[in-house]
Amino acid sequence: DAKTTQPPSMDCAEGRAANLPCNHSTISGNEYVYWYRQIHSQGPQYIIHGLKNNETNEMASLIITEDRKSSTLILPHATLRDTAVYYCIVRVPMEYGNKLVFGAGTILRVKS
Amino acid sequence: SQTIHQWPATLVQPVGSPLSLECTVEGTSNPNLYWYRQAAGRGLQLLFYSVGIGQISSEVPQNLSASRPQDRQFILSSKKLLLSDSGFYLCAGGPGRAYEQYFGPGTRLTVT
């Protein structure tokens, strides 16, 4: 069962920041939040992850609330190529390795 | 970095026929390997994962099985396909540099 809740779709103007919200109110203390995106008919692509602190890399920023019950993925300057399904995922540790629990994701449409 | 190879890209099989999908990993040794299935318009569901040769764990009961005959080879099989086995099958390997999972390009299976 997915441990995250995301809006089904969002629109964003090209060149503007895209802010994608995610709720994960049942997340446990040792579970990381990961973001992936999937362009149609391709395998998911890793974007960013975090535990408590805000994170930034060359693709995006991740803002996690202090209570860790929600987070926001920020694409600072969205382009048409950022149109994809964005998955907010909880990484659940298993006895060996980790499991990514996917929800339905948010369809982000970047429009010119 | 890791590269995940999968083939074929698409496959159409009749009900009751056998299935064998192969996944190979390049660029790392002793990876954790995963098989996911994605139904149309849905998120990914973890089917199997493996932490080493001959070590397979199943997440959900189903008509499928998995094997890992070599360190960087992961195979998904079925003796008799059902209509409900149709979907997009993705192989993943990890952990990556940031403990992410790298996904392959996927195989779209249609059971007719």
Side-chain angles (χ1 to χ4, degrees):
Chain A
D1 292 334
K3 303 186 74 170
T4 61
T5 305
Q6 300 175 252
S9 64
M10 293 181 62
D11 291 338
C12 177
E14 188 178 20
R16 303 297 295 269
N19 297 290
L20 290 89
C22 179
N23 287 324
H24 31 79
S25 58
T26 61
I27 196 170
S28 299
N30 63 345
E31 294 174 343
Y32 283 73
V33 177
Y34 276 67
W35 283 83
Y36 278 72
R37 72 180 182 184
Q38 186 176 25
I39 297 171
H40 183 63
S41 295
Q42 296 182 21
Q45 176 192 21
Y46 166 81
I47 301 173
I48 199 168
H49 77 286
L51 182 63
K52 297 179 186 178
N53 300 320
N54 299 336
E55 303 288 344
T56 296
N57 63 20
E58 63 277 6
M59 290 183 68
S61 295
L62 175 60
I63 308 298
I64 302 175
T65 58
E66 193 170 343
D67 62 8
R68 300 216 321 126
K69 292 185 177 182
S70 65
S71 60
T72 301
L73 178 74
I74 301 173
L75 307 179
H77 305 286
T79 70
L80 297 178
R81 287 178 295 181
D82 291 322
T83 293
V85 179
Y86 286 77
Y87 294 101
C88 171
I89 299 159
V90 170
R91 191 192 84 186
V92 177
M94 301 184 294
E95 183 178 2
Y96 301 101
N98 298 283
K99 177 168 69 173
L100 299 181
V101 182
F102 283 77
T106 295
I107 299 172
L108 175 67
R109 300 185 188 91
V110 181
K111 299 182 176 181
S112 59
Chain B
S1 63
Q2 295 184 36
T3 302
I4 309 293
H5 301 281
Q6 284 185 251
W7 62 90
T10 59
L11 189 60
V12 180
Q13 293 282 104
V15 168
S17 64
L19 173 73
S20 180
L21 300 180
E22 187 166 346
C23 167
T24 59
V25 181
E26 183 181 351
T28 188
S29 58
N30 196 29
N32 294 337
L33 295 175
Y34 307 82
W35 277 111
Y36 289 86
R37 177 170 61 198
Q38 185 174 32
R42 307 286 296 275
L44 280 69
Q45 179 186 36
L46 179 64
L47 301 176
F48 300 96
Y49 66 95
S50 171
V51 299
I53 297 173
Q55 298 178 0
I56 309 294
S57 296
S58 174
E59 278 291 293
V60 293
Q62 58 213 314
N63 185 41
L64 303 168
S65 62
S67 62
R68 187 169 176 176
Q70 301 181 38
D71 180 47
R72 286 176 280 184
Q73 184 185 29
F74 203 25
I75 298 172
L76 183 70
S77 304
S78 174
K79 292 181 179 179
K80 290 185 178 181
L81 283 170
L82 306 172
L83 287 174
S84 57
D85 292 323
S86 293
F88 191 42
Y89 288 83
L90 288 149
C91 178
R97 179 169 45 86
Y99 284 88
E100 75 266 34
Q101 292 181 14
Y102 287 92
F103 283 82
T107 295
R108 189 162 302 281
L109 172 67
T110 303
V111 182
T112 60

